[in-house]
Amino acid sequence: MIFLFSKTYFAKTSFILSLFPFKHSRQMARSAIDEVSETGSFTRTASTFRSFISRDPNSQFPAESGRYHLYISYACPWASRCLAYLKIKGLEKAISFTSVKPIWEQTKETDEHRGWVFPATDTEEPGAEPDPLNGAKTIRDLYELASTNYSGKFTVPVLWDKKLKTIVNNESAEIIRMVNTEFNDIAENASLDLYPSDQRDQIDGTNEWIYNGINNGVYRCGFATKQGPYDEAVRQLYEALDKCEEILGKQRYICGNRLTEADIRLFVTLIRFDEVYAVHFKCNKKLLREYPNLFNYTKDIYQIPSMSSTVNMQHIKRHYYGSHPSINPYGIIPLGPDIDYSSPHDREIFSA
Ligand SMILES: N[C@@H](CCC(=O)N[C@@H](CS)C(=O)NCC(=O)O)C(=O)O
């Protein structure tokens, strides 16, 4: 069934991809850094595997303890938001996870593609582990195991089904929704609902401008290859950050005084901002620590129990500065600023 779905999807994807004037042909294994059009602007393509895990035991992918595995990179904000959900929902025992090494390497001898790879041993790279399930050397191997005609990017996160040996879903925005609701029979923190029905419209609306302006906005700044697209992306980024700063002057979280999905999605970008994006992606008009509300808010979220364990700043810095030679050819990692996000913040003043 999944294979039928995949074939139709790939046919459509191939057609759509052929319409875009990307620098490299679609036959070549691509990375996000190649998704720059002739106009010099970065345009992210959609994820491919879009099945859903369901609490219904008769569904194709039922929510079962021990059945699913999350492949992540600690460096990646999209994967980190999924890991954050595993931790705050109390699903670490039910859904296992593995992180790859932070710096992209060549994934095959037969072509030039560079991407996520697993270490060969447990000790090679602190925080990363060899693939415990399939003996894969790379994330690319997993995509090729799941589909013989895959032509998209080899991205993390990957939500893997151990039983059917395939990828359930590789879109973090959807993975976090499944983790929020579908595993509540086994989640240790089942009562935490980060997408409550009475706030869904507000959360969706907030996610949209934060994604465009901030989450994807920093990438649009960093991957732009012409001044115009950079100028536009950076303008939108700071417009969105200023808006967050104003909102967070009135309430503890971005959608009110209750933590929601929108906060987790915003946090993963903010925590990388001063250490990486300000320098590597040229987001230096204003630093996060120059925004009092945003800076304290970032510390507040970081200090939620188990959240700090989803942030591996070594992996984050080594990945960005070390994996994009067109932006940072010598791979030098800047020393600072080494911010302590566990230091006190002032956000309790808004407690409900
Ligand atoms: N829409 C995807 C995006 C995931 C994504 O872009 N991941 C990046 C790492 S931050 C990746 O794996 N890139 C590999 C590549 O570009 O080749 C999601 O949110 O899950």
Side-chain angles (χ1 to χ4, degrees), residues 68-237:
Y68 302 98
H69 190 83
L70 186 68
Y71 290 101
I72 62 151
S73 160
Y74 280 109
C76 170
W78 319 102
S80 295
R81 65 195 193 183
C82 299
L83 181 61
Y85 263 70
L86 285 202
K87 304 254 177 174
I88 51 180
K89 286 291 293 186
L91 279 165
E92 265 183 283
K93 291 190 198 121
I95 306 175
S96 45
F97 75 93
T98 304
S99 173
V100 290
K101 295 205 280 182
I103 301 181
W104 286 349
E105 293 176 20
Q106 194 168 344
T107 54
K108 257 199 181 134
E109 279 172 11
T110 46
D111 65 40
E112 301 291 297
H113 176 260
R114 298 179 72 78
W116 302 113
V117 300
F118 295 94
T121 63
D122 280 330
T123 49
E124 186 187 322
E125 179 81 54
E129 285 160 349
D131 174 22
L133 302 178
N134 303 295
K137 300 270 176 289
T138 68
I139 289 290
R140 180 178 185 174
D141 286 348
L142 297 173
Y143 279 84
E144 291 175 351
L145 271 174
S147 165
T148 47
N149 55 352
Y150 183 71
S151 62
K153 292 181 295 176
F154 307 110
T155 54
V156 287
V158 167
L159 183 59
W160 182 265
D161 179 1
K162 298 179 195 172
K163 189 168 170 194
L164 298 181
K165 294 199 183 340
T166 194
I167 298 174
V168 181
N169 195 299
N170 68 336
E171 173 48 55
S172 62
E174 293 176 353
I175 296 171
I176 61 176
R177 292 269 165 98
M178 298 172 213
V179 173
N180 184 52
T181 55
E182 302 308 305
F183 289 87
N184 280 345
D185 289 341
I186 42 183
E188 284 167 18
N189 199 2
S191 62
L192 177 73
D193 183 2
L194 294 172
Y195 190 53
S197 47
D198 59 326
Q199 277 192 289
R200 288 189 179 172
D201 288 348
Q202 186 194 9
I203 294 169
D204 289 342
T206 307
N207 284 345
E208 197 178 329
W209 62 263
I210 289 183
Y211 174 82
N212 291 329
I214 302 177
N215 303 133
N216 198 39
V218 292
Y219 282 87
R220 286 168 51 233
C221 295
F223 287 167
T225 56
K226 293 208 165 94
Q227 191 68 46
Y230 166 78
D231 289 344
E232 180 56 12
V234 90
R235 187 189 63 73
Q236 288 176 0
L237 167 67

